[in-house]
Amino acid sequence: MTTRTHRTDRPHRIAIAPSGFKESLSAARVAEAIATGVRRVVPDAELDLIPLVDGGEGTAEALALAGGGRLVKTTATGPVGDPVASHFALLGGSGPLTAVVEMAAVAGLALVPPDRRHPGATTTYGVGELIRAALDAGARRVLVGCGDSGTSDGGAGALQALGARLTDRHGRELPPGGGVLHELERIDPSGLDPRLAGTELLVACNPYNVLCGKRGVARVFGPQKGATPAEVELLSAGLERLAAVLTRDLAPLFVPPAGAPVDLRTSPGTGASGGLGAGLAAVGARLLPRYDVLLDGLDLDARLARADFVITAEGALDHQTVRGKIPAEVARRARASGVPVLVLAGTIGPGAQDVRAVGVDAYSAILPAPMTLVEAIGRSGEFLADATERAMRIMALGTRLAPIAPLAA
């Protein structure tokens, strides 16, 4: 594969295909900020804004806009048990009515106050409530977007909201959270919403995330959600127990229409959103690579191929970026057409250099100086536009320089 050279007889064509910045800017606002920075330097550039979602914040709204649908606002149980204003989407088009449930809108990390970020206590109960609300609205196809979660309960709360009873050895219902799952003895499916049997349940998830083992969600994401080392081990044991009981009591009732049953411990996507993927797979959900689902209809490959170069962005660029984050997906697709890629990131962490292996040509942080998180979030749009302008001016300077000979070996 070779990188294309830019034709000088027409304006630059630049594709802007970012994700959102968590707890700060939606993907659409990130794209607009980048476009502002580009126009300061190349005012006649042909810009193609392609805001992308990964199943996390903004997914329901983005798919509703793209699919001629609408948002349905409702109230549901938040991750710490308090009611929160939430929503799901109903999409347009022919065929069965499709709903989009965005787990971040009811169980996302942004809804967990900083002083209550204890993943052993947070719950996905509200996700199950949104699924039931979608069924009440007539949906017979439900797409659950996984991302930006603040939970690690293996989907136990969602199953409880859908009517399953999770009990300990004394027959008592388990309280919310993954911290008590090691006490799980039995799952009673008799109260499950009967409409699930006639509903196509799809989960758009990161296939790199698995429920159990060394790369299981407790060990990989538990510390990020506030778990201490001891809590990580407790969560890990609880999710192992949940997988075993789900496999015994629930999964046999929802046999996949084709193929072998999902291994709830280690199959791709079972660890999505703190294990929500595994819990929903146990009631018949299909776990699908998120970009196969979420990018459908955007004609992304063709739009990237038409560009002279691509700018993408995310909040944090680090070792996890290559494991299914939007900049890595964009870079892989752009590289197939020889289009160079620039990544702008809120922060750059360990492992960021790994993105070069998937097609990223350059990356840069947007923060101009050390500052508090509150200030960085509040001014992220401004910083992003300024960082784009700086990158574009450096690129413009580079095109004026004669080729530089490589250093001698």
Side-chain angles (χ1 to χ4, degrees):
M1 187 276 295
T2 57
T3 301
R4 294 203 316 253
T5 56
H6 170 62
R7 288 176 50 189
T8 59
D9 58 347
R10 59 168 172 76
H12 289 273
R13 293 174 179 168
I14 303 172
I16 300 174
S19 70
F21 280 25
K22 308 300 187 253
E23 304 182 59
S24 177
L25 297 174
S26 68
R29 290 184 62 196
V30 170
E32 290 164 1
I34 293 173
T36 296
V38 170
R39 291 190 182 106
R40 292 174 186 170
V41 183
V42 193
D44 64 341
E46 295 180 3
L47 304 184
D48 185 8
L49 274 59
I50 319 171
L52 301 175
V53 292
D54 61 2
E57 293 176 12
T59 294
E61 181 178 11
L63 294 186
L65 290 172
R70 61 186 176 91
L71 281 184
V72 179
K73 296 185 178 181
T74 186
T75 300
T77 302
V80 297
D82 300 326
V84 297
S86 189
H87 59 263
F88 62 93
L90 293 175
L91 305 186
S94 58
L97 181 61
T98 298
V100 178
V101 169
E102 173 191 317
M103 83 86 60
V106 70
L109 187 61
L111 297 175
V112 184
D115 62 345
R116 299 180 70 180
R117 292 190 173 176
H118 307 298
T122 50
T123 179
T124 55
Y125 196 92
V127 178
E129 291 179 318
L130 290 187
I131 292 174
R132 294 188 76 154
L135 297 178
D136 290 343
R140 289 301 173 261
R141 185 174 185 263
V142 179
L143 172 62
V144 180
C146 289
D148 304 332
S149 72
T151 58
S152 296
D153 72 350
L159 293 174
Q160 290 172 314
L162 290 168
R165 291 189 70 245
L166 280 66
T167 58
D168 63 17
R169 62 189 180 92
H170 301 293
R172 297 174 300 204
E173 186 93 15
L174 291 185
V180 295
L181 289 176
H182 63 285
E183 300 178 8
L184 177 64
E185 181 66 26
R186 181 172 181 266
I187 298 177
D188 177 3
S190 61
L192 276 171
D193 193 315
R195 294 174 295 182
L196 288 172
T199 300
E200 184 181 14
L201 192 57
L202 308 174
V203 179
C205 56
N206 187 341
Y208 288 98
N209 294 343
V210 299
L211 184 66
C212 300
K214 293 182 179 179
R215 299 298 302 170
V217 293
R219 291 189 168 88
V220 174
F221 298 106
Q224 298 178 17
K225 298 175 182 179
T228 65
E231 290 169 338
V232 166
E233 294 306 314
L234 189 65
L235 280 172
S236 182
L239 293 173
E240 289 277 4
R241 180 60 183 164
L242 176 66
V245 179
L246 285 172
T247 300
R248 184 194 69 198
D249 294 350
L250 206 55
L253 304 178
F254 295 88
V255 179
V262 172
D263 178 347
L264 298 180
R265 292 185 68 257
T266 60
S267 285
T270 51
S273 291
L276 177 65
L280 294 181
V283 292
R286 293 165 54 203
L287 306 184
L288 303 173
R290 53 186 172 184
Y291 299 123
D292 290 355
V293 180
L294 300 174
L295 303 185
D296 184 36
L298 288 179
D299 198 23
L300 180 61
D301 292 335
R303 293 168 74 176
L304 296 178
R306 287 194 293 267
D308 296 308
F309 73 96
V310 175
I311 304 175
T312 183
E314 72 168 331
L317 192 72
D318 55 28
H319 68 281
Q320 291 189 36
T321 300
V322 296
R323 297 177 59 84
K325 296 294 186 71
I326 279 176
E329 182 70 15
V330 169
R332 288 189 184 100
R333 292 169 181 251
R335 181 168 64 177
S337 299
V339 181
V341 175
L342 166 69
V343 179
L344 299 172
T347 60
I348 294 175
Q353 68 277 4
D354 295 347
V355 298
R356 294 193 181 100
V358 297
V360 172
D361 295 278
Y363 57 84
S364 178
I366 70 169
L367 296 183
M371 64 187 65
T372 66
L373 179 61
V374 172
E375 183 179 6
I377 290 175
R379 300 178 64 188
S380 55
E382 171 193 344
F383 293 149
L384 190 53
D386 291 346
T388 303
E389 179 182 357
R390 290 194 297 271
M392 294 298 298
R393 293 196 182 282
I394 291 172
M395 292 173 65
L397 174 63
T399 63
R400 296 168 58 188
L401 295 176
I404 299 173
L407 293 174

